[in-house]
Amino acid sequence: MSKPLLNTLPTVIDGPGDYKTRGGGRATIHEVKPNGDDTTTSFDAKGSIWGMFRGRFCPRGYDIWHVSGRRNAVNECPHDIVGKYAA
């Protein structure tokens, strides 16, 4: 069974903001650089996964995503973005 190409998946990350992850967590996207090239698979969404720090949840670290919400090119993971985060 072949896996879908990342560039053929629907766009989930449409701009900066808070998003829900596959594992039920939260991610904040800080910037999305427009690629404009459908032949190149690039991870243009930059942001942070939320985690516990000194007794409260806040954005931690720095991560990258494909605009389809995938964090890894070859498989799904709990930190994939699946939709907008509703507070």
Side-chain angles (χ1 to χ4, degrees):
M1 183 170 132
S2 67
K3 295 183 179 182
L5 299 173
L6 286 178
N7 290 345
T8 62
L9 296 173
T11 299
V12 175
I13 302 171
D14 57 4
D18 290 335
Y19 292 86
K20 182 172 61 170
T21 64
R22 187 176 307 281
R26 182 176 177 180
T28 297
I29 298 297
H30 305 298
E31 74 173 310
V32 180
K33 293 185 179 178
N35 183 0
D37 182 10
D38 289 339
T39 61
T40 304
T41 300
S42 58
F43 288 70
D44 293 327
K46 308 330 187 209
S48 305
I49 294 285
W50 282 57
M52 185 67 78
F53 180 71
R54 295 187 180 172
R56 64 183 188 100
F57 279 100
C58 60
R60 304 273 298 147
Y62 188 75
D63 253 315
I64 60 173
W65 287 267
H66 187 264
V67 291
S68 67
R70 292 278 183 97
R71 189 167 152 227
N72 298 324
V74 294
N75 57 2
E76 296 177 349
C77 78
H79 293 301
D80 289 347
I81 290 175
V82 295
K84 292 279 190 184
Y85 182 82

Coordinates of all heavy atoms in Angstrom, one line a residue:
M1 N 0.8 -1.2 0.0 CA 0.0 0.0 0.0 C 0.9 1.2 0.0 O 1.8 1.4 0.8 CB -0.9 0.0 1.3 CG -1.8 1.1 1.3 SD -3.0 0.8 2.7 CE -2.9 2.4 3.5
S2 N 0.7 2.1 -0.9 CA 1.5 3.3 -1.0 C 0.9 4.4 -0.1 O -0.3 4.5 0.1 CB 1.6 3.8 -2.5 OG 0.3 4.3 -2.9
K3 N 1.8 5.2 0.4 CA 1.4 6.4 1.3 C 1.2 7.6 0.4 O 1.8 7.8 -0.6 CB 2.4 6.6 2.3 CG 2.6 5.4 3.3 CD 3.6 5.7 4.3 CE 3.7 4.6 5.3 NZ 4.6 4.8 6.3
P4 N 0.2 8.5 0.8 CA 0.0 9.7 0.0 C 1.2 10.6 0.1 O 1.9 10.7 1.1 CB -1.2 10.3 0.7 CG -1.3 9.8 2.0 CD -0.6 8.4 2.0
L5 N 1.5 11.3 -1.0 CA 2.5 12.4 -1.0 C 2.0 13.5 -0.1 O 0.8 13.9 -0.1 CB 2.8 12.8 -2.4 CG 3.3 11.8 -3.4 CD1 3.4 12.3 -4.8 CD2 4.6 11.2 -2.9
L6 N 3.0 14.1 0.6 CA 2.6 15.2 1.5 C 1.9 16.4 0.8 O 0.9 17.0 1.3 CB 3.8 15.8 2.2 CG 4.4 14.9 3.3 CD1 5.6 15.5 3.9 CD2 3.3 14.6 4.4
N7 N 2.4 16.7 -0.4 CA 1.8 17.8 -1.2 C 0.4 17.5 -1.7 O -0.3 18.5 -2.2 CB 2.7 18.2 -2.3 CG 4.0 18.9 -1.8 OD1 4.1 19.2 -0.6 ND2 5.0 19.0 -2.6
T8 N -0.1 16.3 -1.6 CA -1.4 16.0 -2.1 C -2.4 16.0 -0.9 O -3.6 15.9 -1.1 CB -1.5 14.6 -2.8 OG1 -1.1 13.6 -1.8 CG2 -0.6 14.6 -4.0
L9 N -1.9 16.1 0.3 CA -2.8 16.1 1.5 C -3.4 17.5 1.6 O -2.8 18.5 1.2 CB -2.0 15.8 2.8 CG -1.5 14.4 2.8 CD1 -0.5 14.3 4.0 CD2 -2.6 13.4 2.9
P10 N -4.6 17.6 2.2 CA -5.2 19.0 2.4 C -4.4 19.8 3.4 O -3.8 19.4 4.3 CB -6.6 18.6 3.0 CG -6.5 17.3 3.5 CD -5.4 16.6 2.7
T11 N -4.5 21.2 3.2 CA -3.8 22.1 4.0 C -4.6 22.3 5.3 O -5.8 22.6 5.3 CB -3.7 23.5 3.3 OG1 -3.0 23.3 2.1 CG2 -3.1 24.5 4.2
V12 N -3.9 22.1 6.4 CA -4.5 22.2 7.7 C -4.0 23.5 8.4 O -4.7 24.2 9.1 CB -4.2 21.0 8.6 CG1 -4.7 21.2 10.0 CG2 -4.7 19.7 8.0
I13 N -2.7 23.8 8.2 CA -2.1 25.0 8.8 C -2.2 26.1 7.8 O -1.5 26.1 6.8 CB -0.6 24.7 9.2 CG1 -0.6 23.5 10.2 CG2 0.0 26.0 9.8 CD1 0.8 23.0 10.4
D14 N -3.1 27.1 8.1 CA -3.3 28.2 7.2 C -2.7 29.5 7.7 O -2.8 30.5 7.0 CB -4.8 28.4 6.9 CG -5.6 28.6 8.2 OD1 -5.0 28.7 9.3 OD2 -6.8 28.7 8.1
G15 N -2.0 29.6 8.8 CA -1.4 30.8 9.3 C -1.1 30.6 10.8 O -1.3 29.6 11.4
P16 N -0.5 31.7 11.4 CA -0.2 31.7 12.8 C -1.4 31.5 13.6 O -2.5 31.9 13.3 CB 0.4 33.1 13.0 CG 0.9 33.5 11.7 CD -0.1 32.9 10.7
G17 N -1.2 30.8 14.8 CA -2.3 30.6 15.7 C -2.2 29.3 16.5 O -1.1 28.7 16.4
D18 N -3.2 28.9 17.2 CA -3.1 27.7 18.1 C -3.9 26.6 17.3 O -5.0 26.8 16.8 CB -3.8 28.0 19.4 CG -2.9 28.9 20.3 OD1 -1.7 28.9 20.1 OD2 -3.5 29.5 21.2
Y19 N -3.3 25.4 17.4 CA -3.8 24.3 16.7 C -3.9 23.1 17.6 O -3.1 23.0 18.6 CB -3.0 23.9 15.5 CG -3.1 24.9 14.4 CD1 -2.2 26.0 14.4 CD2 -4.0 24.8 13.3 CE1 -2.3 27.0 13.4 CE2 -4.1 25.7 12.3 CZ -3.2 26.8 12.3 OH -3.3 27.7 11.3
K20 N -4.8 22.1 17.3 CA -4.9 20.9 18.1 C -4.0 19.8 17.5 O -4.0 19.7 16.2 CB -6.4 20.4 18.1 CG -6.7 19.2 18.9 CD -8.1 18.9 19.0 CE -8.7 18.7 17.7 NZ -10.1 18.2 17.7
T21 N -3.4 19.0 18.3 CA -2.5 17.9 17.8 C -3.3 16.6 17.8 O -4.3 16.4 18.5 CB -1.2 17.8 18.6 OG1 -1.6 17.4 19.9 CG2 -0.4 19.1 18.6
R22 N -2.8 15.6 17.0 CA -3.4 14.3 17.0 C -3.5 13.7 18.3 O -4.4 12.9 18.6 CB -2.5 13.4 16.0 CG -3.1 12.1 15.7 CD -2.3 11.3 14.7 NE -2.0 12.1 13.5 CZ -2.8 12.2 12.5 NH1 -4.0 11.7 12.5 NH2 -2.4 12.9 11.4
G23 N -2.5 13.9 19.2 CA -2.5 13.3 20.5 C -3.4 14.1 21.5 O -3.4 13.7 22.7
G24 N -4.1 15.1 21.1 CA -5.0 15.8 22.0 C -4.3 17.0 22.7 O -4.9 17.7 23.5
G25 N -3.1 17.3 22.3 CA -2.4 18.5 22.9 C -2.6 19.8 22.1 O -3.5 19.9 21.3
R26 N -1.7 20.7 22.3 CA -1.8 22.0 21.7 C -0.5 22.4 21.1 O 0.5 22.2 21.7 CB -2.3 23.0 22.8 CG -2.5 24.4 22.3 CD -3.0 25.2 23.5 NE -3.2 26.6 23.1 CZ -3.6 27.5 24.0 NH1 -3.9 27.2 25.3 NH2 -3.8 28.8 23.6
A27 N -0.6 23.1 20.0 CA 0.7 23.6 19.3 C 0.4 25.1 18.9 O -0.8 25.4 18.5 CB 1.0 22.8 18.1
T28 N 1.4 25.9 19.0 CA 1.2 27.3 18.5 C 2.1 27.5 17.3 O 3.3 27.2 17.4 CB 1.6 28.3 19.6 OG1 0.7 28.1 20.7 CG2 1.6 29.7 19.1
I29 N 1.6 27.9 16.2 CA 2.3 28.2 15.0 C 2.7 29.7 15.0 O 1.8 30.5 15.1 CB 1.6 27.8 13.7 CG1 1.3 26.3 13.7 CG2 2.3 28.2 12.5 CD1 2.5 25.4 13.7
H30 N 4.0 30.0 14.9 CA 4.4 31.4 14.9 C 4.5 32.0 13.5 O 4.2 33.2 13.4 CB 5.8 31.5 15.5 CG 5.9 30.8 16.9 ND1 5.2 31.3 18.0 CD2 6.6 29.8 17.4 CE1 5.4 30.6 19.0 NE2 6.3 29.6 18.7
E31 N 4.9 31.2 12.5 CA 4.9 31.7 11.2 C 4.8 30.6 10.1 O 5.2 29.4 10.4 CB 6.2 32.5 10.9 CG 7.5 31.6 10.8 CD 8.7 32.4 10.4 OE1 8.7 33.2 9.4 OE2 9.7 32.2 11.0
V32 N 4.3 30.9 9.0 CA 4.2 30.0 7.9 C 4.7 30.7 6.7 O 4.2 31.7 6.2 CB 2.7 29.6 7.6 CG1 2.7 28.6 6.4 CG2 2.1 28.9 8.8
K33 N 5.8 30.2 6.1 CA 6.4 30.8 5.0 C 5.8 30.2 3.7 O 5.8 29.0 3.6 CB 7.9 30.5 4.9 CG 8.7 31.3 6.1 CD 10.1 31.1 5.9 CE 10.8 31.9 7.1 NZ 12.3 31.7 7.0
P34 N 5.3 31.0 2.8 CA 4.6 30.4 1.6 C 5.7 29.9 0.7 O 6.7 30.5 0.4 CB 4.0 31.6 1.0 CG 4.6 32.8 1.5 CD 5.2 32.4 2.9
N35 N 5.5 28.6 0.3 CA 6.4 27.9 -0.6 C 6.2 28.3 -2.1 O 7.1 28.7 -2.8 CB 6.3 26.4 -0.4 CG 7.3 25.6 -1.2 OD1 8.1 26.2 -1.9 ND2 7.3 24.3 -1.0
G36 N 5.0 28.1 -2.5 CA 4.7 28.5 -3.9 C 5.1 27.5 -4.9 O 4.9 27.7 -6.1
D37 N 5.7 26.4 -4.5 CA 6.2 25.3 -5.4 C 5.6 24.0 -5.0 O 6.0 23.4 -4.0 CB 7.7 25.3 -5.3 CG 8.3 24.3 -6.3 OD1 7.6 23.7 -7.1 OD2 9.5 24.0 -6.2
D38 N 4.7 23.5 -5.8 CA 4.0 22.2 -5.4 C 4.8 21.0 -5.7 O 4.5 19.9 -5.3 CB 2.7 22.1 -6.2 CG 1.6 23.1 -5.7 OD1 1.8 23.5 -4.6 OD2 0.7 23.3 -6.5
T39 N 6.0 21.2 -6.3 CA 6.8 20.0 -6.6 C 7.8 19.7 -5.4 O 8.4 18.7 -5.4 CB 7.6 20.2 -7.9 OG1 8.5 21.3 -7.7 CG2 6.7 20.4 -9.1
T40 N 8.0 20.7 -4.5 CA 8.9 20.5 -3.4 C 8.2 20.3 -2.1 O 7.2 21.1 -1.8 CB 9.8 21.8 -3.3 OG1 10.4 22.0 -4.5 CG2 10.8 21.6 -2.2
T41 N 8.6 19.3 -1.4 CA 8.0 19.1 -0.1 C 8.8 19.8 1.0 O 10.0 19.4 1.2 CB 7.9 17.6 0.3 OG1 7.1 17.0 -0.7 CG2 7.3 17.4 1.6
S42 N 8.3 20.9 1.5 CA 9.1 21.6 2.5 C 8.2 21.8 3.8 O 7.0 21.9 3.7 CB 9.5 23.0 2.0 OG 8.5 23.7 1.6
F43 N 8.9 21.8 4.9 CA 8.2 22.0 6.2 C 8.3 23.5 6.5 O 9.2 23.9 7.2 CB 8.8 21.1 7.2 CG 8.5 19.6 7.0 CD1 9.0 18.9 5.9 CD2 7.7 19.0 7.8 CE1 8.7 17.6 5.7 CE2 7.3 17.6 7.6 CZ 7.9 17.0 6.5
D44 N 7.3 24.3 6.1 CA 7.3 25.7 6.2 C 6.6 26.3 7.4 O 6.6 27.5 7.6 CB 6.7 26.3 4.9 CG 7.5 26.0 3.7 OD1 8.7 26.0 3.8 OD2 6.9 25.8 2.6
A45 N 5.9 25.5 8.2 CA 5.3 26.0 9.4 C 6.2 25.9 10.6 O 6.6 24.8 10.9 CB 3.9 25.3 9.6
K46 N 6.4 27.0 11.3 CA 7.3 27.0 12.4 C 6.5 27.3 13.7 O 5.7 28.2 13.7 CB 8.4 28.0 12.3 CG 9.3 28.1 11.1 CD 9.6 26.9 10.3 CE 10.6 27.2 9.2 NZ 10.5 26.4 8.1
G47 N 6.8 26.6 14.8 CA 6.1 26.8 16.0 C 6.6 26.0 17.2 O 7.7 25.5 17.2
S48 N 5.7 25.8 18.2 CA 6.0 25.1 19.4 C 4.9 24.3 19.9 O 3.7 24.6 19.8 CB 6.3 26.2 20.5 OG 7.3 27.1 20.1
I49 N 5.3 23.1 20.5 CA 4.3 22.3 21.2 C 4.2 22.8 22.6 O 5.2 23.2 23.2 CB 4.9 20.8 21.2 CG1 4.9 20.2 19.8 CG2 4.0 19.9 22.1 CD1 3.6 19.9 19.3
W50 N 3.0 22.7 23.2 CA 2.8 23.1 24.5 C 3.1 22.0 25.5 O 2.9 20.9 25.2 CB 1.3 23.5 24.8 CG 1.0 24.9 24.2 CD1 1.2 25.3 22.9 CD2 0.5 26.0 24.9 NE1 0.8 26.6 22.8 CE2 0.3 27.1 24.0 CE3 0.1 26.2 26.2 CZ2 -0.2 28.3 24.4 CZ3 -0.4 27.4 26.6 CH2 -0.5 28.5 25.7
G51 N 3.7 22.4 26.6 CA 4.1 21.4 27.7 C 4.1 22.1 29.0 O 4.0 23.3 29.1
M52 N 4.3 21.3 30.1 CA 4.4 21.8 31.4 C 5.7 22.5 31.7 O 6.8 21.9 31.4 CB 4.1 20.7 32.4 CG 4.0 21.2 33.9 SD 2.6 22.2 34.2 CE 1.3 20.9 34.3
F53 N 5.7 23.7 32.3 CA 6.9 24.3 32.7 C 6.6 25.1 33.9 O 5.8 26.0 33.9 CB 7.5 25.3 31.6 CG 8.7 26.0 31.9 CD1 9.9 25.3 32.0 CD2 8.7 27.4 32.2 CE1 11.1 26.0 32.4 CE2 9.8 28.0 32.5 CZ 11.0 27.4 32.6
R54 N 7.3 24.8 35.0 CA 7.2 25.5 36.3 C 5.7 25.5 36.7 O 5.2 26.6 37.2 CB 7.8 26.8 36.3 CG 9.3 26.7 36.1 CD 10.0 28.1 36.3 NE 11.4 27.9 36.1 CZ 12.3 28.9 36.0 NH1 11.8 30.1 36.1 NH2 13.5 28.7 35.9
G55 N 5.0 24.4 36.6 CA 3.6 24.4 37.1 C 2.5 24.9 36.2 O 1.4 25.0 36.6
R56 N 2.9 25.3 35.0 CA 1.8 25.8 34.1 C 2.2 25.4 32.6 O 3.3 25.1 32.3 CB 1.6 27.3 34.1 CG 2.8 28.1 33.7 CD 2.6 29.6 33.9 NE 3.6 30.3 33.3 CZ 3.6 30.9 32.1 NH1 2.5 30.8 31.4 NH2 4.6 31.6 31.7
F57 N 1.1 25.3 31.8 CA 1.3 24.9 30.4 C 1.7 26.2 29.6 O 1.1 27.2 29.8 CB 0.1 24.3 29.8 CG -0.1 22.9 30.1 CD1 -0.9 22.4 31.2 CD2 0.6 21.9 29.4 CE1 -1.0 21.1 31.5 CE2 0.5 20.6 29.7 CZ -0.3 20.2 30.8
C58 N 2.7 26.0 28.7 CA 3.1 27.1 27.8 C 3.8 26.5 26.6 O 4.2 25.3 26.6 CB 4.0 28.1 28.6 SG 5.5 27.3 29.2
P59 N 4.0 27.3 25.5 CA 4.7 26.8 24.4 C 6.2 26.5 24.7 O 6.8 27.3 25.4 CB 4.6 27.9 23.4 CG 3.6 28.8 23.9 CD 3.5 28.6 25.3
R60 N 6.7 25.3 24.3 CA 8.0 24.9 24.7 C 8.8 24.5 23.5 O 8.3 23.7 22.6 CB 7.9 23.7 25.7 CG 7.2 24.0 26.9 CD 7.9 24.6 28.0 NE 9.0 23.7 28.4 CZ 10.2 24.1 28.8 NH1 10.4 25.3 29.0 NH2 11.1 23.2 29.2
G61 N 10.0 24.9 23.3 CA 10.8 24.5 22.2 C 10.5 25.1 20.9 O 9.7 26.0 20.8
Y62 N 11.0 24.4 19.8 CA 10.8 24.9 18.5 C 10.6 23.7 17.6 O 11.4 22.8 17.6 CB 12.0 25.7 18.0 CG 11.8 26.4 16.7 CD1 11.1 27.6 16.6 CD2 12.5 26.0 15.6 CE1 10.9 28.2 15.4 CE2 12.4 26.6 14.4 CZ 11.6 27.7 14.3 OH 11.4 28.4 13.1
D63 N 9.6 23.7 16.7 CA 9.3 22.6 15.8 C 9.0 23.1 14.5 O 8.7 24.2 14.3 CB 8.2 21.7 16.4 CG 8.6 20.4 17.0 OD1 9.5 19.7 16.3 OD2 8.2 20.1 18.1
I64 N 8.9 22.1 13.5 CA 8.5 22.5 12.2 C 7.5 21.5 11.7 O 7.5 20.3 12.1 CB 9.7 22.5 11.2 CG1 10.4 21.2 11.1 CG2 10.7 23.6 11.5 CD1 11.5 21.1 10.0
W65 N 6.5 21.9 10.8 CA 5.5 21.1 10.3 C 5.3 21.4 8.8 O 5.6 22.5 8.4 CB 4.1 21.4 11.0 CG 4.0 20.9 12.3 CD1 3.5 19.7 12.7 CD2 4.3 21.6 13.5 NE1 3.5 19.6 14.1 CE2 4.0 20.7 14.6 CE3 4.9 22.8 13.8 CZ2 4.2 21.1 15.9 CZ3 5.1 23.2 15.1 CH2 4.7 22.3 16.2
H66 N 4.8 20.4 8.1 CA 4.3 20.6 6.7 C 3.0 21.3 6.8 O 2.3 21.1 7.8 CB 4.2 19.3 6.0 CG 3.9 19.4 4.6 ND1 2.6 19.3 4.1 CD2 4.7 19.6 3.5 CE1 2.7 19.4 2.8 NE2 3.9 19.6 2.4
V67 N 2.5 22.1 5.9 CA 1.2 22.7 6.0 C 0.1 21.8 6.0 O -1.1 22.1 6.4 CB 1.0 23.8 4.8 CG1 2.0 24.9 5.0 CG2 1.1 23.1 3.5
S68 N 0.3 20.5 5.7 CA -0.7 19.5 5.9 C -0.9 19.1 7.3 O -1.8 18.3 7.6 CB -0.4 18.2 5.0 OG 0.7 17.6 5.6
G69 N -0.1 19.5 8.2 CA -0.1 19.2 9.6 C 0.8 18.1 10.0 O 1.0 17.8 11.2
R70 N 1.5 17.5 9.1 CA 2.4 16.4 9.4 C 3.7 17.0 10.0 O 4.3 17.9 9.5 CB 2.8 15.6 8.2 CG 1.6 14.8 7.6 CD 1.5 13.5 8.4 NE 0.4 12.7 7.9 CZ 0.6 11.6 7.0 NH1 1.8 11.3 6.6 NH2 -0.4 10.9 6.6
R71 N 4.2 16.3 11.0 CA 5.5 16.7 11.6 C 6.6 15.8 11.0 O 7.8 16.2 10.9 CB 5.5 16.5 13.1 CG 6.7 17.1 13.8 CD 6.5 17.2 15.3 NE 7.7 17.1 15.9 CZ 8.0 16.3 17.0 NH1 7.0 15.6 17.5 NH2 9.1 16.3 17.5
N72 N 6.3 14.6 10.6 CA 7.3 13.7 10.0 C 6.8 13.4 8.5 O 5.6 13.3 8.2 CB 7.3 12.3 10.7 CG 7.8 12.5 12.2 OD1 8.6 13.3 12.4 ND2 7.2 11.7 13.1
A73 N 7.8 13.2 7.7 CA 7.5 13.0 6.3 C 6.9 11.6 6.0 O 6.1 11.5 5.0 CB 8.7 13.2 5.4
V74 N 7.3 10.6 6.7 CA 6.9 9.3 6.3 C 5.8 8.6 7.2 O 5.3 7.6 6.8 CB 8.1 8.3 6.3 CG1 9.1 8.8 5.3 CG2 8.8 8.3 7.7
N75 N 5.5 9.2 8.3 CA 4.4 8.5 9.1 C 3.7 9.5 10.0 O 4.2 10.7 10.2 CB 5.0 7.4 10.0 CG 6.1 7.9 10.9 OD1 6.5 9.0 10.9 ND2 6.7 7.0 11.6
E76 N 2.6 9.1 10.6 CA 1.8 10.0 11.5 C 2.4 9.9 12.9 O 3.0 8.9 13.3 CB 0.4 9.5 11.5 CG -0.3 9.7 10.2 CD -1.8 9.2 10.3 OE1 -2.1 8.6 11.2 OE2 -2.5 9.5 9.3
C77 N 2.3 11.0 13.7 CA 2.8 11.0 15.1 C 1.8 11.8 15.9 O 1.0 12.5 15.4 CB 4.2 11.5 15.1 SG 4.4 13.3 15.1
P78 N 1.9 11.7 17.3 CA 1.0 12.4 18.2 C 1.1 13.9 18.1 O 0.2 14.6 18.4 CB 1.4 11.9 19.5 CG 2.1 10.6 19.3 CD 2.7 10.7 18.0
H79 N 2.2 14.4 17.5 CA 2.4 15.9 17.4 C 2.0 16.4 16.1 O 2.2 17.6 15.8 CB 3.8 16.3 17.7 CG 4.2 16.0 19.1 ND1 3.6 16.6 20.2 CD2 5.2 15.2 19.7 CE1 4.2 16.2 21.3 NE2 5.1 15.3 21.0
D80 N 1.4 15.6 15.2 CA 0.8 16.1 14.0 C -0.4 17.1 14.3 O -1.1 16.8 15.2 CB 0.2 15.0 13.1 CG 1.3 14.1 12.5 OD1 2.5 14.5 12.5 OD2 1.0 13.0 12.0
I81 N -0.5 18.1 13.5 CA -1.6 19.1 13.7 C -2.8 18.6 12.9 O -2.7 18.3 11.7 CB -1.2 20.5 13.3 CG1 -0.1 21.0 14.4 CG2 -2.3 21.4 13.2 CD1 0.5 22.3 14.0
V82 N -4.0 18.6 13.6 CA -5.2 18.1 12.9 C -6.3 19.1 12.7 O -7.3 18.9 12.0 CB -5.8 16.8 13.6 CG1 -4.8 15.7 13.6 CG2 -6.1 17.2 15.1
G83 N -6.2 20.3 13.4 CA -7.2 21.3 13.2 C -6.9 22.5 14.2 O -6.0 22.5 15.0
K84 N -7.8 23.5 14.1 CA -7.7 24.6 15.0 C -8.0 24.3 16.4 O -8.8 23.4 16.7 CB -8.7 25.7 14.5 CG -8.4 26.4 13.2 CD -7.3 27.4 13.4 CE -7.2 28.2 12.1 NZ -6.1 29.2 12.2
Y85 N -7.3 24.9 17.4 CA -7.5 24.7 18.8 C -8.6 25.6 19.3 O -8.6 26.8 19.1 CB -6.2 25.0 19.5 CG -6.3 24.8 21.0 CD1 -6.1 23.5 21.5 CD2 -6.6 25.8 21.9 CE1 -6.2 23.2 22.9 CE2 -6.6 25.5 23.3 CZ -6.4 24.2 23.7 OH -6.5 24.0 25.1
A86 N -9.6 25.0 19.9 CA -10.7 25.8 20.5 C -10.5 25.9 22.0 O -10.5 24.9 22.7 CB -12.1 25.1 20.2
A87 N -10.3 27.1 22.5 CA -10.0 27.3 23.9 C -11.2 27.0 24.8 O -12.3 27.0 24.6 CB -9.6 28.7 24.2

